[in-house]
Amino acid sequence: ENNLFDVEQAIITVRSALATGIDWNELKNIVKQEKKKGNPVANMIHQLKLETNEITLLLSATGDSEAEEINSLPPTSVDIDISLSAYANAQEYYANKKQSADKKQKTIDAIGDALKAAEKKTRNTVKETR
């Protein structure tokens, strides 16, 4: 959520450029040039995936470049749907993240159950062979 303003700026910038009918390759070249100039919006853009209506942004954990230097966390690569607002993208990102965490926990639980069942079966087999 700390990055909402920056993400919205990137979305608006790319949408505006595309609305002018600019060629995708030309847009990529402009982003490269703006990165060299130190443009903060361009510096966030990691990749343009316009065929899927997405851009990949590098977002800091804090949204504050000074704080990022202090805690030195690497930026996170996040795919942004340019047809959605920054807020809608954030909601989708966190929903996917929660869903992934839930799946991971279910997998861990299933592995634990499988291990318990295997241990029980092994114990029973050992008892039967005695």
Side-chain angles (χ1 to χ4, degrees):
E1 291 181 8
N2 293 330
N3 292 298
L4 281 176
F5 178 78
D6 294 335
V7 171
E8 194 64 37
Q9 290 301 310
I11 291 170
I12 290 169
T13 300
V14 172
R15 277 186 195 162
S16 297
L18 292 174
T20 66
I22 192 170
D23 178 66
W24 292 357
N25 290 324
E26 181 63 25
L27 180 56
K28 288 178 183 180
N29 289 334
I30 291 171
V31 170
K32 285 180 187 177
Q33 291 172 358
E34 289 299 313
K35 283 183 177 188
K36 289 178 184 176
K37 293 179 185 176
N39 182 317
V41 173
N43 284 329
M44 287 189 335
I45 299 173
H46 178 66
Q47 185 178 11
L48 296 171
K49 296 192 260 184
L50 301 175
E51 60 279 350
T52 58
N53 212 34
E54 293 180 331
I55 56 176
T56 302
L57 300 180
L58 297 175
L59 303 176
S60 65
T62 61
D64 180 353
S65 60
E66 292 177 7
E68 182 181 349
E69 290 173 11
I70 292 170
N71 62 24
S72 68
L73 291 174
T76 302
S77 176
V78 180
D79 288 335
I80 302 295
D81 183 336
I82 60 172
S83 67
L84 301 175
S85 69
Y87 185 75
N89 272 287
Q91 286 182 317
E92 188 173 304
Y93 174 80
Y94 288 115
N96 289 339
K97 192 172 179 178
K98 183 181 181 329
Q99 184 179 24
S100 293
D102 290 346
K103 283 183 180 180
K104 180 180 176 183
Q105 188 57 50
K106 286 180 183 179
T107 302
I108 290 169
D109 293 344
I111 290 170
D113 293 344
L115 283 173
K116 288 177 186 176
E119 288 173 356
K120 184 177 179 181
K121 185 176 180 180
T122 303
R123 276 189 247 116
N124 289 339
T125 303
V126 169
K127 285 181 184 178
E128 290 174 6
T129 58
R130 286 185 183 174

